[in-house]
Each structure stands twice: as structure tokens, then as C-alpha cells.
Amino acid sequence: MKLGSPFRPRLLSALLFSIFLGSAPATPAQERGELRIATSYKLMTLDPQYANLNENTSLLSHIFERLVYQDDNLELKPGLATSWRPLSDTQWAFKLRDKVRFHDGSAFDADDVVYTIERIRDFLKPPSGGFRSYVSGIKSVSAPDPLTVLIETDGAVPNLPLFFSSIFVMNRPSKGFETTENLNAGHPPNGTGPYRFESWSSGESLRLARNDVYWGGKPAWSKVTFRVIENPAARVAALSTGEVDVADAIPARDVASLKERGARVASVGAARVNFVQFDVARDTLPGVTDKSGEPIANPFKNPLVRRALTLATDRGILVDKILAGYGTAAAQVFPNGLPGTSANLLPEAPNYDEAKMLLAKAGFPDGFNLVLAGPAGRYPGDAESLQAVAQSWARIGVNAQPAAAPFSVFNTKRAAGDYGVWYGGTSGEAVDIILHTLLASPDPERGTGALNFGKYRNEAFDAMLARAESIAVGPERNAALAQATELVMADQPIIPLYHFHHIVGYGSRIGSYVLHPRGWTTAMQTLPAME
């Protein structure tokens, strides 16, 4: 295993642009009938603005589109907006694509963008306002002409275009705001995307038909059917028998057998991180004791202890054994090479002798006991990772008792403060979004630290992150984020473990499948085999 393996793009940017923007235009020889996909994603609603979850955004991206897209390097590309520019610190202008039509034949224009922003900001209420944070800083939005949108923000929002890469544009109705209930009750979703809605059975299937007048080119597949198969073994079986053409979220352990049966596999490092997180705020912690079982002062307040446990963590076992090579050892929140990452941060091999020395220097020459909590079945290799980390830490005298629980149980207990140290995972559109939620000091007014359950605080890091977030998206911002990441990771508030790989299997009717680090599963990523 190469601990420092960089993230590498899979295809030429021009091809990816056509695929992720909409659908790669098909030649007559490429056109196919129905594409059958077995997915782990259980579509919960036909409202594209209801919840910011991959299972919704992935499937609904066939029907609806965004102003801005992220390519496979997470760089911003034109979508329904052809260009954008800041007019001042608090004003933006977005120019829209001409001659785009919704599936009902109506023309797309700036009024639809205004409606989209206002619906999310002013109409949808929690828990249905999963995208509200992206538009909460927008003071006003207007349409001076059909192809121009002007946005005024309450303060500087230099990454506003990035926010729009997560928001689907809806068609303005004749009056009022469309309700989620109406959208789920059989009103056909009306988007501008490469596929039109045909039918939906919640938790079972989604059926789509080709949009023959799609502005981005005629899609390759005339029909697309998603079958929801939540059990991984059942998805593998459906692909193996030819019941489906594509199956997502393939377990690494099944890759070899799938290949033996003639299927092919695509994988990519996920734009996410799985990690160990410490509670560094409380004076004593549940489950943390000395070797005799007596409570002790919180050892994780000492950066020497956090560093020792980092040095005692064998990421190679996690990646090579538990993930069967379908993962990348982590030293920061995104795989190396993506925007905002630092080329100076590389995963370290374990050094147990140095780890023991650091523990002794911190006042724990004999180690201590702890409960290492985490979810079971939420992420690839989660429960097994708990066991492997515990075994590594035992080599320096830290006896960790793994405690895996269903995610709902784990999440509730973590929020209630029942754990002192735990395994977790998170993803996001960009490095700064993860830094903002996972490692920045908790501050409800600024909206930082929502996932900082360990209550870690670092004023120097907060200042560096705030400065980086004040810079427009581009190389300067990326460099500032990398510097902030280097500073905070030197303090080890978390131990980055790995970036697991998204794995998709596909059969003989498929020429290639292009994976995206955000983990989407779409027909647009699926290119037919050439005859």
C-alpha cells in the first residue's frame, strides 16, 4: 500500500463535463433501450429541495439540474448558469443558459432561479430545509432580464457558486410555493434534466424516460429503472445473474468473485473521511479509566496523548485488509490532490516505540482503558475498523473496548455525551465545508462546529479558516485552506483513518462507468458498450 497515494482523475475533463453536466450525447450505434440499476439509495421524496442526502440528490439529478456543477476534481463547471461573477463583496450576477426547457415544455429563465432560492429560504421549514444553510445569507434575489439573476448577500459570501452546486432548480408554478406533499402525491416532477419522470414506488423503484430534447444532447438510454436493493449481497447477486446492468455500493470483499463471473468494477476515492474523534472538553469521560478501572482525568486534553494514539494507529491494516485495497489511508479530510488539500500531509506508518514514549511523557507509562464507540453497518469496514484500531492501541498499553451499535443508537448516544472517543465519518462539497463543521470551534451564531462533538477549540485555526473562507474560490483559497489544515492536523483533534472507495459493478451491456468522488449513482455516468 502506498500511504501517500494522490487522488487521480479518471477521465479527460471534457468527457466528464458532458457526463456530469447532463448526459453524454449518444451516437446511433451507442443507443440502447432500458438501463437497469440496482442501488442502495432509497429515494425518500420527489421534492428535490427537501433533504440534502445523497440518496435524494443522486437519483433526482436525472430530473433536475443545478446552476453549477462539480467535476470529478470538485472544480466548479457551468450548469444552468453559463457564467457568474461578483459585482461587489455582497453582490453576484449569474448568467443563465438560453433555450433550456422544462419537461412540460415551458422555458427555463431567471424567475425559476428566484423561485428556487425563495422556496428554500422562506418556505421550506426544518426538517425539510436541508439546503437552507446554502441560501440563508442571501438578502435578496432578482431577475433584471430572463437570463440574468442578481443576488445580494448579507455579507461577503465568496463561495456562493459552490453553494449552488448543491441546489436543484425548480420550475416556478403559477402561484405560491409547491409543497412537498403535492410533489410526493403524484404530481410529475418537472425539471430540465436528461431524463423525465415516469413512476416512483417509495423504497422500491424509480422509472425514468429519456428527454429527447435535452439541451445537453440526447441521452444514451431510452429508459432507466432504479431498483432499490438495500442488501449488498442481493445487489451483487442481481448483477451476477444479469437481472441488472449496474450495481452500486459493492462490498470490497465481493469484487474478486464478481470479476470471476465476468462483471467489471469501477472505484474512486470518496470525497469524505472516516476518523477517530476525541472529547477534549470534559474533565472526565465515560468509559475512560486507569488499569484498575478507576476514573481518571480526561487524557485527550493532552496533545501528547492524541499524538501517541495517532502513531499507534495502523492505517495499512484498515486499507489493505478490511477494505481489501479499496480505500486510501488518510492524513486530512479529503484525498490528496482535491482542492484545498495539502501536499505536505501524508499518512504515517505506525511507530509504537515513539507512541509509548509520548504516553509516558504525558503521565501514562502503563496506558489506560477506554471504550471506543462507533456505528455498525453505516460505513464500509466500520465495525471491523473499531476492532483493528483497538488491537493497534493495545500495543502501547491502551486497552480499548470496541462498542459498535446501529447508527441511530450510536448517533443518539454520541449527541448525549455517552462516549469519550469514537469512530465517525463525514463528507461535503469541499474541504472548507468539512473543516467548518468538523473542526472549527462550535459557534451557533457562525454556524461552525456542527459535527465537532468533541468540543475542540483552536483560535488560531478558526482565524486561518475564516480568512480562507473570505477568499474567492480558486488557487489562493485552496492554498489558505491547506495551510489551515496543516495547522489543525498538527494538533490531532481527530485521527484521519481512511477515505473509502465508492465501488460500482457493471455487466456486459455497459462500456464504462465513470465514478465521482461525491458517490452519485446515475445513468449519465453509464456509457453503453459499443457493438
Side-chain angles (χ1 to χ4, degrees), residues 42-73:
K42 187 176 181 179
L43 182 65
M44 63 179 291
T45 178
L46 294 177
D47 186 341
Q49 297 163 357
Y50 181 85
N52 190 8
L53 299 171
N54 244 14
E55 42 264 67
N56 289 337
T57 58
S58 179
L59 298 183
L60 292 179
S61 68
H62 296 79
I63 303 169
F64 299 95
E65 296 185 286
R66 306 169 177 92
L67 291 179
V68 182
Y69 282 79
Q70 286 181 295
D71 68 12
D72 78 326
N73 285 316

Side-chain angles (χ1 to χ4, degrees), residues 18 45 50-51 59 104 133 146 164 167 195 199 216 227 236 304 312 326 333-334 388 393 423 438 449 453 461 498:
S18 67
T45 178
Y50 181 85
L59 298 183
D104 67 356
S133 62
F164 284 128
I167 295 173
Y195 291 92
S199 66
R227 289 176 51 193
V236 170
L304 294 178
Y326 285 92
V333 298
F334 266 8
W393 289 358
Y423 163 102
L438 182 65
F453 296 108
F461 167 68
Y498 53 77

Side-chain angles (χ1 to χ4, degrees), residues 35-38 239 244-248 504-507 510 513 521 526:
L35 173 66
R36 305 159 301 167
I37 300 178
L239 179 61
V244 298
D245 303 302
V246 176
D248 67 14
V504 168
Y506 55 97
I510 309 303
Y513 188 92
T521 302
T526 312

Side-chain angles (χ1 to χ4, degrees), residues 10 66 75 112 131 170 231 245 269 292 303 327 336 342 363 367 369 391 412 484 522:
R10 251 61 43 194
R66 306 169 177 92
E75 300 286 358
D112 301 306
F131 295 88
M170 292 180 64
N231 182 278
D245 303 302
S292 65
N336 285 23
S342 169
N369 299 335
Q391 291 172 9
T412 299
T522 76

Side-chain angles (χ1 to χ4, degrees), residues 93-153:
F94 285 76
K95 291 294 184 180
L96 306 183
R97 194 173 296 277
D98 195 9
K99 299 179 181 178
V100 175
R101 294 197 170 272
F102 286 92
H103 296 158
D104 67 356
S106 59
F108 159 74
D109 63 23
D111 280 341
D112 301 306
V113 179
V114 173
Y115 168 78
T116 290
I117 293 171
E118 292 179 343
R119 181 175 187 264
I120 296 172
R121 186 191 62 188
D122 304 331
F123 179 70
L124 293 178
K125 306 297 183 184
S128 60
F131 295 88
R132 181 170 294 180
S133 62
Y134 298 125
V135 298
S136 59
I138 294 178
K139 183 178 180 180
S140 66
V141 55
S142 60
D145 64 64
L147 296 179
T148 304
V149 176
L150 295 181
I151 295 174
E152 184 175 355
T153 59

Side-chain angles (χ1 to χ4, degrees), residues 231-498:
N231 182 278
R235 287 196 303 278
V236 170
L239 179 61
S240 299
T241 59
E243 294 178 39
V244 298
D245 303 302
V246 176
D248 67 14
I250 298 295
R253 63 178 178 272
D254 293 319
V255 168
S257 63
L258 270 178
K259 289 182 175 180
E260 289 174 359
R261 284 175 275 183
R264 284 174 288 171
V265 168
S267 69
V268 69
R272 61 174 306 120
V273 65
N274 287 74
F275 53 85
V276 170
Q277 190 172 32
F278 304 104
D279 185 323
V280 299
R282 290 180 286 176
D283 293 331
T284 59
L285 298 173
V288 180
T289 69
D290 62 18
K291 289 299 184 69
S292 65
E294 294 296 320
I296 59 174
N298 182 353
F300 308 130
K301 287 189 173 186
N302 191 329
L304 294 178
V305 173
R306 302 196 298 268
R307 176 62 179 158
L309 292 174
T310 299
L311 286 173
T313 301
D314 190 343
R315 297 174 177 88
I317 289 178
L318 303 179
V319 170
D320 293 339
K321 303 298 183 184
I322 294 174
L323 298 179
Y326 285 92
T328 304
Q332 53 192 314
V333 298
F334 266 8
N336 285 23
L338 289 178
T341 58
S342 169
N344 298 322
L345 291 176
L346 300 175
E348 300 174 276
N351 187 329
Y352 299 108
D353 290 337
E354 184 176 349
K356 288 180 181 179
M357 292 174 56
L358 291 174
L359 270 188
K361 188 175 181 179
F364 300 99
D366 299 321
F368 51 89
N369 299 335
L370 60 84
V371 173
L372 179 60
R378 175 71 173 180
Y379 311 109
D382 48 15
E384 297 91 339
S385 293
L386 289 181
Q387 297 284 346
V389 170
Q391 291 172 9
S392 290
W393 289 358
R395 297 184 59 169
I396 63 171
V398 175
N399 296 328
Q401 177 186 346
F407 181 73
S408 59
V409 175
F410 163 77
N411 201 35
T412 299
K413 289 189 172 184
R414 178 178 60 179
D418 290 353
Y419 305 134
V421 56
W422 55 89
Y423 163 102
T426 189
S427 63
E429 297 89 343
V431 161
D432 55 300
I433 290 176
I434 295 186
L435 295 177
H436 190 89
T437 58
L438 182 65
L439 297 174
S441 299
D443 185 339
E445 290 188 5
R446 291 182 57 229
T448 57
L451 299 181
N452 185 351
F453 296 108
K455 301 298 187 290
Y456 172 76
R457 294 182 180 275
N458 185 326
E459 292 183 1
F461 167 68
D462 291 340
M464 290 185 71
L465 179 59
R467 176 187 171 275
E469 291 179 321
S470 71
I471 303 171
V473 173
E476 184 182 354
R477 181 188 182 95
N478 292 339
L481 289 170
Q483 291 173 359
T485 301
E486 291 172 8
L487 175 75
V488 73
M489 292 316 307
D491 205 24
Q492 304 286 177
I494 63 171
I495 303 176
L497 297 178
Y498 53 77

